[in-house]
Amino acid sequence: MQLLNTQDLDKQNISSLNLPAINYLFNRVTNKKRADIEFEIELQDKSTRWVLGSMNQSKTTGEYILVVHDITQLRQLNSMRRDFISNLSHELRTPVSVIRANSETLLDGALDNKKEAKTFARAILHNSERLSSMVSDLIDLSRIEYGDLKLNIKGIDFNDFMESFLVSMKSVAKKRDIELKYNPDHQGLLSADTQALERIMNNLLDNAYKYSDEGTLVEVSTKDQGKMIKVMVADSGVGVSDEDQEHIFDRFYRTASARASDKQGSGLGLAIVKNLTNSLNGEVGVESKHDSGSIFWFTIPIG
Ligand code: ADP
């Protein structure tokens, strides 16, 4: 009734609904006994919905029966699936074609030149590593989304966690000549899963290093928000424009400058961060201005 914007269909003429799709159904059903149509309608609040209308004629009474289903969500899911498959094929094709082209060049004669052969072999190795990290990110993402990832949620002291985590992250930072600092401002336990926290922090710090210049500072800090702890990862790198901020947590989204640069990436890291923080009952976000660094943050319940 809400879909068709009417209170009572009883004794109403079908044409009074003023919906061409329903009139079409009615014309078809008089010849065929049953007809279906998918159409888009605008509701009173100006939102649009997709509707599946089916009409048939009762054999016994001769009455026409109209059934309408709101299929907007189904349509959105289908379009998300189509986008996902098209993005995935596009992302996988690039490394695969590089591997193929380089192997062909090797077989066509470059193998005989040791120096050249090394360059092509390196490109093959580099792109196969890229492929394999994309595939494992995808497997992780689908496990998280389907709820297959078993989380072991328990009380975790984030300061202890960071102490051991920073040891491994500092050596990576040193390689990139980046200073890594930890500035906590909370106490007590978080309710989280250690591996999930590691994954979240790894992805955020990886990005902070990747999108910053050498010689800069990356700072992790925390804030007590009562029921939640907010963890912030701040860098002074390239930053994210307002427009890109709306999309960077989507699967495969990479900003135009990230794509244009030689920085490796699949565009899946932040989608994994978002899914994992949601699984831990937290939220995720970013504050940033183009060219003046970013603060990626997430919240985790106090445990
Ligand atoms: P990628 O594998 O490309 O790094 P992510 O999902 O981790 O994929 O990030 C998506 C995009 O968000 C990146 O391509 C980059 O454009 C942008 N981004 C992520 N982290 C940062 C950051 N710390 N500073 C600037 N841009 C970032």
Side-chain angles (χ1 to χ4, degrees):
M1 296 298 163
Q2 216 177 0
L3 279 176
L4 300 181
N5 189 23
T6 176
Q7 296 303 319
D8 193 358
L9 277 175
D10 220 21
K11 305 272 188 302
Q12 270 205 55
N13 195 317
I14 209 89
S15 57
S16 69
L17 286 172
N18 212 4
L19 286 171
I22 303 282
N23 291 340
Y24 167 84
L25 262 187
F26 184 63
N27 290 334
R28 290 268 310 267
V29 85
T30 35
N31 306 328
K32 287 185 63 185
K33 300 277 176 265
R34 187 197 155 88
D36 306 292
I37 191 172
E38 280 184 23
F39 58 99
E40 204 176 10
I41 53 170
E42 190 177 284
L43 301 187
Q44 262 177 332
D45 63 4
K46 297 284 172 225
S47 62
T48 53
R49 310 293 293 176
W50 273 95
V51 173
L52 168 66
S54 311
M55 197 182 269
N56 60 6
Q57 188 176 17
S58 158
K59 277 197 188 105
T60 44
T61 63
E63 281 174 319
Y64 290 101
I65 301 161
L66 170 65
V67 180
V68 284
H69 285 285
D70 183 351
I71 54 164
T72 316
Q73 225 179 2
L74 200 69
R75 280 231 162 203
Q76 281 164 350
L77 280 176
N78 274 341
S79 117
M80 265 167 65
R81 203 186 56 200
R82 269 198 306 272
D83 285 354
F84 176 70
I85 292 174
S86 108
N87 284 338
L88 177 61
S89 341
H90 178 84
E91 295 300 329
L92 292 177
R93 202 162 53 198
T94 316
V96 169
S97 21
V98 177
I99 292 172
R100 182 172 174 174
N102 282 282
S103 327
E104 277 169 1
T105 317
L106 275 177
L107 291 174
D108 282 351
L111 260 182
D112 302 329
N113 178 332
K114 235 182 169 177
K115 208 170 148 209
E116 259 185 21
K118 244 189 180 159
T119 313
F120 292 117
R122 262 200 211 108
I124 293 175
L125 177 66
H126 183 69
N127 280 276
S128 55
E129 279 169 358
R130 190 170 161 206
L131 256 186
S132 102
S133 95
M134 253 162 79
V135 170
S136 58
D137 276 356
L138 267 173
I139 293 173
D140 282 352
L141 196 58
S142 81
R143 281 176 56 208
I144 302 165
E145 288 190 348
Y146 283 103
D148 283 351
L149 188 83
K150 294 278 167 285
L151 293 174
N152 176 15
I153 299 204
K154 55 179 188 197
I156 294 175
D157 185 323
F158 193 71
N159 294 331
D160 285 352
F161 165 85
M162 281 302 285
E163 203 174 305
S164 54
F165 181 74
L166 283 176
V167 175
S168 59
M169 285 321 275
K170 274 203 167 138
S171 63
V172 187
K174 210 169 171 189
K175 268 193 206 151
R176 294 228 43 207
D177 192 20
I178 280 181
E179 192 187 349
L180 179 59
K181 272 195 179 157
Y182 180 50
N183 253 333
D185 188 16
H186 81 278
Q187 270 169 358
L189 301 181
L190 301 189
S191 171
D193 170 275
T194 314
Q195 274 185 330
L197 268 186
E198 249 169 41
R199 196 70 204 267
I200 294 170
M201 288 304 299
N202 244 325
N203 285 355
L204 292 181
L205 284 180
D206 249 10
N207 281 348
Y209 297 170
K210 196 158 65 175
Y211 300 106
S212 299
D213 285 336
E214 292 189 356
T216 53
L217 170 75
V218 170
E219 190 169 5
V220 181
S221 56
T222 64
K223 205 165 151 186
D224 191 333
Q225 294 189 317
K227 287 191 172 143
M228 312 289 269
I229 296 292
K230 186 173 181 179
V231 181
M232 290 153 282
V233 178
D235 64 52
S236 40
V238 295
V240 187
S241 68
D242 287 349
E243 207 190 352
D244 282 326
Q245 286 179 30
E246 286 176 34
H247 305 289
I248 48 171
F249 292 95
D250 296 347
R251 288 180 291 201
F252 295 117
Y253 191 85
R254 303 191 72 207
T255 59
S257 62
R259 278 184 191 280
S261 70
D262 58 355
K263 293 185 172 76
Q264 290 286 323
S266 62
L268 291 169
L270 289 180
I272 292 179
V273 168
K274 184 176 178 181
N275 272 282
L276 279 176
T277 37
N278 289 349
S279 311
L280 296 174
N281 304 313
E283 283 178 24
V284 68
V286 58
E287 283 155 31
S288 175
K289 286 270 170 296
H290 190 52
D291 266 348
S292 59
S294 325
I295 302 175
F296 281 83
W297 58 263
F298 63 93
T299 55
I300 298 286
I302 287 176

